[in-house]
Amino acid sequence: MDYRKYIAHRLAAEGMTEEEVAEAIAVPPDPSLGDYALPCFKFSKVLRKSPVAVAETLKERFPADDVIEEVSAVNGYLNFKVNKRGLAAETLSRILREGEQYGGSDCGTGKTICIDYSSVNIAKPFHIGHLSTTVIGGALYRIFRFLGYHAVGINHLGDYGTQFGKLISAYRRWGDRELVEKGGIRALNELYVRFHREAEKDPALEDEARAYFKKIEEGDAECRSLFEWFKQLTLKEVSKIYDLLDIRFDSYAGESFYQDKMQPVIDELREKGLLVESRGAQVVDLEAYGMPPCIILKSDGSSLYATRDMAAAIYRKQTYDFDKCLYVVAYQQNLHFRQFFKVLELMGKEWAKDLVHVAYGMVSLEEGAMSTRKGNVVFLEDILEKSVKKAYEIIDMKNPSLSGKEEIAGKVGVGAVIFGALYNNKIKDIVFSYDKALNFDGETSVYVQYTCARASSVLSKANESGFCASSDFSELPPLCSQEFELVKSLAEFPDVVRSAAEKYEPSFVARYSVDVAQRFNKFYFDCKILQEEETRAFRLALTQATLTVLKNALGLLGIGVPEKM
Ligand code: ARG
C-alpha cells in the first residue's frame, strides 16, 4: 500500500492534482500527530482560503475508512493515521512472501546502467582513497540490480601513462624478479618511489622512462610483457580485497584498452571544428562554459586522461547502449568530468546528458594524508586487517566462549570499514576512526549486526520452545506504539532503496538500517516477545521480518550478518 498515493488519490480535486498532493505529503516528526501529514499552505493560494480553512474543508472531504482510520485538521495541517493492523498485516505478509527480494522491484527492467567504480591504478597501492569509490560503487551496483536494472560494473583501470615507463626503468635498474613477485604492489610501489628519488638527482631518468613508455605503446615485446606482469600482480592482490568487500565487475577495460580507440574521437573533434591549437597542444576551448580548455593531445602528440575517457564513454554507449553511465569518482575530479561531458555534448552526442559524475568526499585516517610518490601511504588491506583484529579483540572480550569468532570478526571488522565509508552523505569528507566504527552502541554496522544476532537468538529460542511465528495476519492483536513504529519503518524499505538509487546515495540504506535496528531494540526491550501468549506469534513474525529487512539492507552494502555475536 502506497499511502501517499492513496491519500492523494482521494484528495485530488480542482486546483490540486494527485501528483502535487502526493509530493507535498510528509511524515510528521512527532508520530503522535499522525503517520502522514499534508501541509495545506501549499494550496491556500489556489483555493483562496487560509491554510487552516483548507485543512478543515479537506477533512470534510475525507471520511475515515479501512486504510486511514483517523483524519484531523490541526493548524493548517491535515494529519492522517493509518490503520495500524492493516499496515502490519500487509507489510509482514509481503516481507514473508518476498524474503530476500523484499525491498527490490522490477522498475529498472529493460534499462542498462554502467557504473565505473573503484578504477584502481596498476602498480599503485590500493589505498584508503579507493575505499569510497569501491564501496559506494559496489553498493550502487547491487542497489540497481535489486531494482531490476541491467548493471554493468566497470573497473576503468589506470593502466596507461608514463608511470609505467618509470616502473620499467626502475625495475630494469634495481628490480629483482623474485622480490617483486613476492612483494607485489608494495615492491612495485617501492620501485616507483625510488625512481622519483633518483630522478631528482639524475633528470635523465625521466627521458629513459618516456622512452620505455613509448615502447609499451608501440608494442615492444619485452616492455609489454613486463607491463602485463605488473598488471597481473596488481589485479591478483586487488581481487583479494574485492572478495572481502563482496565487489565484482563485468569489465576490466582500463585506460590502455582505449589506446586504439582514441584516433576516431580526435578525427571527429577535428571534423566538427572543435579542436584548436594552444601552445602546441590540441584543445577544445570551453571558455564560453566557464571552464579551462579540455586538452585532447599534448604537444608531443600523446593523449590524455580526458581523451581516453571520451573514447571510453563512446565505446560504452556503443557496447552497452546504457540509459545512464555513472562515474563514482572523488570530487577532486569534478572539473575533469564537467569538461569531457561538455565536449561530448558539443560533439552532438545527445546521450552526454546521461553521463553522471557521482562525486564523493575524502576519507582519511587520523594518521593524515598521503602521497604515492613519497611512499607514505596506508594500504586498504592493512586498514581492513586492523579493523578485523580489533573486532576480534572486542568480540573475544564480550563473549569469550563464542564459536567461530574469526569468521564473525571478519564480517564485523570489514563491515565497520564499509559502513564507515558509506554512512555519511557521500560528498562529505570523513575521518575514519576504528573505535567509532566498532562501537556496539553507535550508529554503526556492528550495532546493526548485533541487533540481527539478537533477533536470531530470539527466533532460535522460540524454535526450541516450539513457538511459531504467525503467517496469517488477518486477526492481529492491537499494536502498541513500539510495534507500530517498527512496522512503519519496515514498510518504508522499498522506498528507501528507490531513493538511494535515485540520488546515488547508499548512505540512505545505511542510515535506514540503523533506524530499523534502533526501533527493533526499543520493541525488544519494551515488549516481551516470548512471554505473552496473545502477542507471541505476531511478535515473532515481526522479529523475523526485521531480520529479513536488516539482512537485505546490509547485503546491499556488501556487509554480512553473523548468526551469533
Ligand atoms: N584511476 C583513476 C584514479 O584513481 C580513477 C578513474 C575513474 N574513472 C574514469 N573513467 N575516469 O584517480
Side-chain angles (χ1 to χ4, degrees), residues 116-121 127 129-130 133 154-159 255 305 308-309 312 316 326-330 333 336-337 340:
D116 177 325
Y117 67 107
S118 198
S119 301
V120 286
N121 300 320
H127 56 71
H130 293 111
T133 168
I154 304 172
N155 199 330
H156 186 75
L157 299 175
D159 59 358
E255 294 189 41
Y305 184 48
R308 293 186 287 279
D309 252 328
R316 288 173 193 174
L326 314 184
Y327 297 84
V328 186
V329 184
Q333 295 191 29
H336 164 72
F337 287 100
F340 90 79

Side-chain angles (χ1 to χ4, degrees), residues 21 129 181 223 246 252-253 300 302 322 335 392 413 422 426 498 555:
V21 178
E181 192 72 58
C223 287
D246 190 21
Y252 278 87
D300 64 1
S302 57
F322 56 73
L335 179 62
Y392 186 91
L422 277 182
K426 62 186 181 301
R498 218 171 312 128

Side-chain angles (χ1 to χ4, degrees), residues 499-532:
S499 39
E502 234 163 65
K503 298 270 187 317
Y504 313 119
E505 195 57 271
S507 66
F508 291 179
V509 176
R511 290 187 172 266
Y512 170 78
S513 71
V514 169
D515 180 54
V516 171
Q518 284 169 345
R519 291 178 195 229
F520 175 80
N521 285 319
K522 197 150 179 20
F523 158 69
Y524 173 86
F525 285 112
D526 293 352
C527 310
K528 315 253 169 308
I529 299 179
L530 295 175
Q531 267 155 8
E532 289 153 24

Side-chain angles (χ1 to χ4, degrees), residues 39-69:
C40 294
F41 55 87
K42 294 217 160 100
F43 304 101
S44 89
K45 217 179 193 163
V46 264
L47 300 181
R48 300 216 196 113
K49 279 185 194 158
S50 71
V52 174
V54 174
E56 290 297 341
T57 320
L58 293 179
K59 179 178 168 334
E60 295 310 310
R61 285 223 311 261
F62 202 121
D65 64 6
D66 284 355
V67 180
I68 301 296
E69 64 183 20

Side-chain angles (χ1 to χ4, degrees), residues 165-309:
K166 294 177 184 171
L167 256 187
I168 291 184
S169 157
Y171 176 72
R172 282 271 179 89
R173 284 168 177 270
W174 317 294
D176 175 283
R177 185 147 198 119
E178 239 169 84
L179 283 182
V180 171
E181 192 72 58
K182 258 222 255 83
I185 297 176
R186 280 169 213 260
L188 291 173
N189 191 48
E190 270 161 33
L191 283 172
Y192 188 66
V193 170
R194 175 150 183 201
F195 179 91
H196 282 278
R197 218 170 39 230
E198 308 262 353
E200 264 172 36
K201 290 177 269 167
D202 179 7
L205 280 177
E206 299 279 358
D207 295 328
E208 180 178 298
R210 261 192 290 278
Y212 275 129
F213 176 57
K214 195 135 202 268
K215 281 188 164 186
I216 304 179
E217 277 191 297
E218 287 162 353
D220 172 88
E222 210 193 325
C223 287
R224 278 225 68 98
S225 93
L226 277 176
F227 169 69
E228 287 301 328
W229 178 49
F230 297 156
K231 199 159 155 174
Q232 287 325 315
L233 282 176
T234 308
L235 288 180
K236 201 171 101 198
E237 254 178 84
V238 165
S239 56
K240 275 192 274 171
I241 296 182
Y242 289 150
D243 286 345
L244 280 176
L245 299 175
D246 190 21
I247 292 292
R248 49 165 288 210
F249 297 95
D250 303 288
S251 161
Y252 278 87
E255 294 189 41
S256 70
F257 178 76
Y258 300 100
Q259 194 181 325
D260 62 354
K261 298 173 182 60
M262 283 183 284
Q263 196 53 49
V265 182
I266 296 163
D267 293 344
E268 194 179 332
L269 281 167
R270 193 163 288 134
E271 253 165 53
K272 296 192 166 149
L274 290 164
L275 277 191
V276 290
E277 197 178 307
S278 164
R279 278 182 258 146
Q282 297 290 315
V283 309
V284 178
D285 182 29
L286 296 175
E287 209 187 328
Y289 309 98
M291 289 184 268
C294 181
I295 308 173
I296 303 294
L297 283 175
K298 283 198 244 175
S299 50
D300 64 1
S302 57
S303 66
L304 284 108
Y305 184 48
T307 327
R308 293 186 287 279
D309 252 328

